[in-house]
């Protein structure tokens, strides 16, 4: 056996850490609260594992301490890799294309070269740390070539691939200049997981059309192998969020926040990364029209919009931030009063406890993306509503809508529908809100992050050894 090798290797673009400066100026590492990271953390804590990923920044790969017993193996990105792989092919080509092309995907040959180069580096890093016959789980759209590259290096491994974002219909995917290579890269895996069955269907159709391989929505024949495909909707650590939200200090903090907001009758909350897929502008427009028509009044109702800056060097994100900030300024200028803004707009990162307090304050949580792979914020809100109150306004185009059917579902492109459904959620009877919330909470209680990991990994690991270990984590 190789020295320091792991039976489970997670490969993701980002390591589960943030670099932050300690009071004495030293750099320290801590677990970051991002979606994917929160999703996998509870699983890895209980398994001898290595996480292969990028530590952020450019330059040589830093040596990092283990976090909660999980080995951190960092992969270096140069300034050019950052520009052409992360900001370029991953976030200006694939990201918009996979989200219904709500912004125009950009194609550059140089970006594709960087994507190949960086994927090769990640595949080599995973090959170096996985034990013979080990299990490697590759995550997300940044690394779609890794399964194929890794199989060429280490045919002994079992390889899984999971796509956290939507997988587009053939009409859109066919735009990609290197579509065949991307599909072949994914087919290096033994099991390809998507958030929704529709994505698995899109993938199978493309494999037939582009690669002329025999495929159903569940099984694809590649050379002498069978690649399995399925939907595994990702989830959250439901119990952890509920426990956090129920803590006395968080409850007290929520009360204080409500007071600081002017003790309004109703608080609407949105928490997003600043991303054009999240439907922030459409939501602001709907809210502004409700203020203008007098259906919603400042003082009775406040909107808290958390929009955490993201991918700030990508042009489309800069333009979006400018537009959102101009619109928030306009709405506050027009409808706010001294000491009573119509929108409380925050671009800071919140720690988990503060986020949980915000969820506790929100009578209506508005999660209205134009397209979203899952949206874990919606699930976190439900988990945090420990007293079974609170209305979730949820876009039909979020993966979460397939599970949280009792949410107030809405088409965010339909401005009138969005306004109407926001009013419905604001005016719903406590009984209706309670019934819906209880049903969603029961669903999340059963379908939490451990259930997700167990179902994906038991399908991947047919010998069952890893899953047995997971079973004992409770
Ligand atoms: C989405 C992606 C993740 C990504 C996250 C944050 O949820 O599916 O892979 O890590 O956004 O984006 P960032 O570019 O900051 O990693």
């Amino acid at each position: 056996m190789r020295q320091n090798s792991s039976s489970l290797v997670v490969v993701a673009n980002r390591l589960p850490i943030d670099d932050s400066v300690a009071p004495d100026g030293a750099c320290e590492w801590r677990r970051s609260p991002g979606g994917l990271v929160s999703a996998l953390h509870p699983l890895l804590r209980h398994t001898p594992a290595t996480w292969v990923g990028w530590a952020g920044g450019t330059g040589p790969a830093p040596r990092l301490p283990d976090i909660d017993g999980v080995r951190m193996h960092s992969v270096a990105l140069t300034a050019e890799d950052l520009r052409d792989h992360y900001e370029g092919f991953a976030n200006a080509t694939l990201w918009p294309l996979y989200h219904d092309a709500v912004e125009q995907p950009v194609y550059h040959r140089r970006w594709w070269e960087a994507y190949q180069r960086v994927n090769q580096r990640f595949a080599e890093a995973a090959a170096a740390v996985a034990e013979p016959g080990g299990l490697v789980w590759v995550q997300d759209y940044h690394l779609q070539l890794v399964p194929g590259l890794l199989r060429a290096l280490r045919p002994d491994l079992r390889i899984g691939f999971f796509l956290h974002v939507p997988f587009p219909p053939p009409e859109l995917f066919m735009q990609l200049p290197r579509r065949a290579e991307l599909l072949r890269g994914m087919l290096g895996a033994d099991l390809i997981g998507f958030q929704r069955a529709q994505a698995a269907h899109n993938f199978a159709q493309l494999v037939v059309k582009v690669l002329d391989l025999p495929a159903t929505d569940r099984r694809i024949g590649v050379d002498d192998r069978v690649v399995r495909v399925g939907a595994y909707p990702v989830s959250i650590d439901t119990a952890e969020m509920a426990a956090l939200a129920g803590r006395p200090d968080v409850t007290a903090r929520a009360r204080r926040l409500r007071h600081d907001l002017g003790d309004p009758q109703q608080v609407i909350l949105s928490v997003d990364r600043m991303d054009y897929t999240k439907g922030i502008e459409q939501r602001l427009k709907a809210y502004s029209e409700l203020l203008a028509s007098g259906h919603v009044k400042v003082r009775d109702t406040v909107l808290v919009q958390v929009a955490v800056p993201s991918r700030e060097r990508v042009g489309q994100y800069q333009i979006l931030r400018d537009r959102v900030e101009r619109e928030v300024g306009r709405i506050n200028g027009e409808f706010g009063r001294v000491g009573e803004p119509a929108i409380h707009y925050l671009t800071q990162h919140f720690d988990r406890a503060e986020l949980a307090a915000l969820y506790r304050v929100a009578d209506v949580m508005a999660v209205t993306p134009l397209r979203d792979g899952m949206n874990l914020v919606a699930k976190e809100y439900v988990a945090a509503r420990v007293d079974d109150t609170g209305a979730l306004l949820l876009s039909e185009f979020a993966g979460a809508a397939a599970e949280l059917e009792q949410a107030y579902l809405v088409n965010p492109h339909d401005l009138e529908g969005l306004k109407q459904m926001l009013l419905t959620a604001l005016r719903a009877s406590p009984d209706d809100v309670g019934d819906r919330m209880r049903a969603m909470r029961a669903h999340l209680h059963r379908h939490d992050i451990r259930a997700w990991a167990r179902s994906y990994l038991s399908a991947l690991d047919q010998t069952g050894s890893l899953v047995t270990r997971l079973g004992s984590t409770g």
Side-chain angles (χ1 to χ4, degrees):
M1 192 187 289
R2 287 152 204 253
Q3 230 192 345
N4 287 332
S5 60
S6 293
S7 53
L8 174 62
V9 178
V10 168
V11 188
N13 182 54
R14 278 189 191 277
L15 284 169
I17 52 175
D18 270 345
D19 54 343
S20 55
V21 181
D24 62 359
C27 204
E28 60 181 26
W29 299 93
R30 63 183 165 82
R31 186 163 78 88
S32 69
L36 171 58
V37 171
S38 325
L40 291 175
H41 181 257
L43 152 71
L44 297 182
R45 235 178 2 207
H46 298 285
T47 318
T50 297
W51 188 307
V52 174
W54 170 53
T58 52
R63 285 188 68 80
L64 303 171
D66 295 359
I67 298 182
D68 295 346
V70 180
R71 221 169 278 149
M72 296 291 129
H73 183 100
S74 67
V75 176
L77 291 192
T78 65
E80 206 182 9
D81 297 333
L82 181 73
R83 188 191 63 206
D84 294 347
H85 170 261
Y86 171 73
E87 293 165 355
F89 199 80
N91 285 316
T93 303
L94 294 179
W95 180 269
L97 184 73
Y98 285 12
H99 291 85
D100 290 353
V102 293
E103 285 286 341
Q104 179 62 43
V106 181
Y107 303 108
H108 284 307
R109 284 165 288 184
R110 194 180 68 237
W111 291 358
W112 169 249
E113 272 150 36
Y115 190 77
Q116 286 176 292
R117 176 172 80 232
V118 171
N119 272 250
Q120 181 68 35
R121 202 173 305 147
F122 273 81
E124 283 168 12
V129 299
E131 73 174 31
L135 217 141
V136 179
W137 194 3
V138 183
Q139 312 284 328
D140 231 354
Y141 60 100
H142 317 82
L143 301 175
Q144 276 170 240
L145 301 178
V146 168
L149 295 168
L150 184 56
R151 181 167 297 280
L153 293 167
R154 293 284 307 273
D156 60 297
L157 299 172
R158 281 202 75 73
I159 303 172
F161 179 78
F162 187 81
L163 189 71
H164 291 255
V165 299
F167 191 78
E171 311 84 87
L172 279 178
F173 191 84
M174 290 302 281
Q175 285 187 14
L176 263 180
R178 309 311 286 257
R179 58 204 184 192
E181 283 98 321
L182 272 175
L183 294 174
R184 263 191 231 109
M186 291 167 79
L187 288 170
D190 295 293
L191 175 65
I192 302 176
F194 295 100
Q195 302 277 25
R196 298 182 74 158
Q198 181 61 47
H201 178 66
N202 293 345
F203 183 73
Q205 278 189 306
L206 276 159
V207 162
V208 174
K209 194 174 163 85
V210 177
L211 302 179
D212 197 22
L213 291 172
T216 68
D217 291 5
R218 289 168 179 271
R219 296 164 80 82
I220 297 169
V222 186
D223 307 326
D224 53 350
R225 298 184 301 124
V226 172
V227 177
R228 283 167 309 131
V229 178
Y232 301 87
V234 73
S235 194
I236 57 162
D237 192 337
T238 313
E240 184 196 52
M241 177 47 84
L244 180 62
R247 252 170 38 186
D249 59 323
V250 171
T251 310
R253 177 70 189 138
R255 226 175 286 128
R256 176 83 213 161
L257 277 169
R258 195 166 194 106
H259 177 73
D260 291 348
L261 290 168
D263 281 320
Q265 286 165 21
Q266 288 197 297
V267 176
I268 307 169
L269 173 68
S270 286
V271 177
D272 305 287
R273 260 185 326 100
M274 179 74 81
D275 195 299
Y276 49 81
T277 60
K278 302 292 182 187
I280 301 172
E281 291 183 279
Q282 287 77 358
R283 195 186 307 138
L284 290 178
K285 192 162 174 49
Y287 189 60
S288 150
E289 290 193 10
L290 288 174
L291 286 168
S293 62
H295 284 93
V296 167
K297 293 195 172 57
V298 175
R299 184 172 291 171
D300 296 350
T301 307
V302 300
L303 170 62
V304 179
Q305 171 69 62
V306 177
V308 183
S310 177
R311 307 174 190 165
E312 290 177 89
R313 299 194 327 170
V314 179
Q316 290 159 330
Y317 288 76
Q318 292 166 357
I319 293 168
L320 173 76
R321 182 171 181 171
D322 286 350
R323 287 212 306 244
V324 165
E325 299 198 337
R326 215 175 311 129
E327 186 61 3
V328 169
R330 186 193 68 76
I331 296 171
N332 278 337
E334 202 165 319
F335 301 105
R337 305 183 202 180
V338 174
E340 286 178 349
I343 303 173
H344 291 256
Y345 173 71
L346 301 152
T347 55
Q348 304 135 41
H349 287 269
F350 286 89
D351 67 25
R352 305 283 303 155
E354 188 74 0
L355 207 53
L358 276 171
Y359 292 147
R360 293 285 314 267
V361 172
D363 304 292
V364 174
M365 179 84 203
V367 183
T368 58
L370 304 178
R371 176 61 74 187
D372 212 330
M374 175 52 62
N375 199 298
L376 296 178
V377 165
K379 291 190 170 181
E380 284 184 350
Y381 174 69
V382 170
R385 300 303 298 191
V386 286
D387 55 4
D388 293 333
T389 61
L392 174 63
L393 180 72
L394 180 61
S395 164
E396 294 166 12
F397 301 108
E403 294 173 85
L404 303 178
E405 296 163 347
Q406 297 81 5
Y408 295 89
L409 292 174
V410 68
N411 170 4
H413 299 275
D414 170 10
L415 199 59
E416 283 308 317
L418 183 54
K419 286 161 63 182
Q420 206 47 57
M421 199 51 99
L422 181 55
L423 284 182
T424 304
L426 283 167
R427 294 171 180 170
S429 72
D431 281 354
D432 185 39
V433 166
D435 288 349
R436 290 167 183 255
M437 186 52 79
R438 262 187 298 279
M440 294 191 288
R441 289 178 60 76
H443 175 88
L444 282 191
H445 183 68
R446 288 191 307 275
H447 297 94
D448 69 352
I449 186 65
R450 287 186 186 80
W452 173 71
R454 246 196 303 269
S455 75
Y456 182 88
L457 288 172
S458 57
L460 177 61
D461 170 34
Q462 287 167 324
T463 64
S465 56
L466 183 77
V467 177
T468 311
R469 242 176 296 154
L470 278 176
S472 64
T473 63

